[in-house]
């Protein structure tokens, strides 16, 4: 008798659990059904939101345009394999909730820039997902840790009050350049350029330290860094080249091809 009752209770629990699971799945699907059924929303957005709703890192990785930039000194994501491994770090519960609860009216088209969710605070989508402006809590913790390590590797006279913006290496002779920005954005000069000729001690004081600023140009908001030389002339650098060509640092008398580098790798 007791065994029969236990079996009935166990069966009832299984039925309840299955019912709850089915309800959860239906709720998850209903959350994105309005978006999926909207003819004005492109299929690229629908596929992206469905992949996040299903927590499908493989499909998500197939919908990304690479490399996918992350804020320095985090590393960019260069391949679908890297994206699958990084998915849970970047796509946290907050981003998942924003995407899967989004309605057609939350998405807006910005001409050639494609579509964005809630005015660009989260993701940018064209034919593929090409930018994620959202930074997860885990990424912020990683950023803090890597920034501390990066700035701690500099000469003690150079670390206070700055954070790393980017690192570059010249293609011709492997000289190293780094751009740093102020922790306090109200302090000027806002940016500085440190130049270490090939063979220099990267943990010493570089022979060239130039102050500068950054402007946003055009409808794309292209970053342009400008640094003043002692002679009053300027060094110009545009890191984001739309056509994918090699970035160049424009010195007053020459132009130098550079590639993105990672400071913490160079000082090992």
């Amino acid at each position: 008798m007791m065994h029969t009752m236990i079996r009935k209770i166990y069966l009832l629990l299984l039925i309840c659990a299955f019912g709850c699971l089915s309800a959860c799945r239906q709720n998850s699907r209903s959350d994105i059904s309005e978006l999926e059924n909207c003819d004005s929303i492109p299929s690229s957005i629908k596929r992206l939101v469905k992949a996040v709703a299903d927590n499908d890192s493989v499909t998500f990785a197939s919908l990304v345009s690479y490399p996918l930039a992350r804020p320095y000194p985090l590393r960019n994501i260069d391949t679908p394999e890297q994206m699958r491994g990084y998915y849970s770090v970047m796509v946290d519960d907050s981003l998942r909730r924003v995407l899967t609860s989004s309605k057609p009216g939350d998405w807006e088209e910005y001409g050639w820039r494609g579509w964005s969710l809630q005015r660009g605070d989260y993701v940018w989508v064209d034919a593929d997902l090409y930018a994620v402006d959202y930074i997860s809590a885990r990424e912020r913790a990683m950023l803090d840790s890597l920034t501390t390590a990066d700035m701690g590797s500099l000469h003690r006279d150079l670390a206070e009050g700055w954070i790393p913006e980017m690192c570059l290496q010249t293609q011709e002779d492997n000289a190293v350049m780094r751009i740093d920005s102020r922790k306090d954005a109200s302090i000027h000069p806002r940016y500085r350029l440190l130049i270490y000729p090939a063979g220099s001690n990267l943990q010493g004081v570089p022979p060239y330290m130039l102050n500068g600023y950054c402007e946003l140009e055009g409808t794309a908001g292209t970053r342009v860094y400008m640094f003043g030389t002692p002679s009053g002339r300027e060094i110009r650098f545009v890191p984001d080249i739309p056509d994918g060509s090699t970035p160049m640092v424009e010195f007053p008398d020459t132009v130098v091809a550079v590639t993105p580098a990672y400071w913490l790798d160079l000082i090992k």
Side-chain angles (χ1 to χ4, degrees):
M1 183 71 177
M2 180 65 68
H3 289 251
T4 301
M5 183 178 295
I6 291 173
R7 282 198 299 270
K8 287 182 178 179
I9 293 173
Y10 180 68
L11 180 60
L12 181 61
L13 289 173
L14 283 177
I15 292 171
C16 291
F18 180 77
C20 290
L21 180 60
S22 298
C24 288
R25 286 175 177 170
Q26 289 173 1
N27 289 339
S28 176
R29 295 298 298 148
S30 65
D31 285 342
I32 66 173
S33 60
E34 184 179 348
L35 197 71
E36 288 188 313
N37 294 327
C38 180
D39 293 337
S40 64
I41 296 296
S43 60
S44 55
I45 292 176
K46 296 177 183 179
R47 292 194 303 270
L48 178 72
V49 172
K50 183 179 185 303
V52 173
D54 294 341
N55 204 26
D56 184 353
S57 62
V58 175
T59 299
F60 183 94
S62 72
L63 302 175
V64 174
S65 176
Y66 297 97
L68 183 67
R70 304 314 295 143
Y72 190 85
L74 292 179
R75 296 180 187 269
N76 293 339
I77 304 167
D78 296 321
T79 67
E81 291 75 21
Q82 291 178 6
M83 184 71 259
R84 290 196 292 269
Y86 196 75
Y87 175 85
S88 62
V89 175
M90 185 178 74
V91 185
D92 62 2
D93 289 343
S94 295
L95 181 56
R96 184 179 298 108
R97 183 165 50 250
V98 167
L99 286 169
T100 58
S101 65
S102 65
K103 305 302 180 185
D106 297 327
W107 293 87
E108 188 172 354
E109 188 175 14
Y110 291 82
W112 61 268
R113 296 182 66 187
W115 291 73
S116 185
L117 176 62
Q118 297 186 14
R119 300 184 179 181
D121 290 340
Y122 293 95
V123 297
W124 287 88
V125 182
D126 195 7
D128 296 300
L129 172 68
Y130 71 87
V132 177
D133 290 343
Y134 175 81
I135 303 173
S136 70
R138 286 181 64 184
E139 285 184 308
R140 291 190 184 280
M142 292 162 61
L143 273 171
D144 289 343
S145 177
L146 291 169
T147 295
T148 297
D150 184 295
M151 300 309 299
S153 71
L154 291 175
H155 189 279
R156 62 180 180 275
D157 294 338
L158 301 176
E160 186 67 29
W162 297 90
I163 56 176
E165 182 88 359
M166 69 182 68
C167 181
L168 308 165
Q169 202 161 19
T170 62
Q171 291 189 358
E172 184 175 349
D173 62 0
N174 290 326
V176 176
M177 307 178 194
R178 61 176 288 150
I179 297 175
D180 299 318
S181 58
R182 294 278 191 184
K183 276 186 179 180
D184 184 347
S186 66
I187 299 177
H188 293 276
R190 180 77 173 83
Y191 296 89
R192 72 179 181 191
L193 171 66
L194 306 182
I195 304 176
Y196 298 81
S200 298
N201 176 14
L202 298 183
Q203 293 179 300
V205 176
Y208 306 103
M209 294 185 290
L210 308 173
N211 295 323
Y213 59 96
C214 180
E215 293 181 340
L216 300 180
E217 291 187 352
T219 57
T222 302
R223 294 176 296 169
V224 179
Y225 293 90
M226 306 291 289
F227 299 95
T229 67
S231 63
R233 302 172 75 181
E234 285 191 319
I235 296 172
R236 184 175 188 268
F237 178 57
V238 181
D240 309 311
I241 311 298
D243 62 5
S245 57
T246 301
M248 302 281 184
V249 177
E250 301 174 20
F251 289 89
D253 300 313
T254 188
V255 176
V256 177
V258 295
T259 55
Y262 196 71
W263 178 265
L264 290 174
D265 286 344
L266 297 176
I267 63 169
K268 288 180 179 178

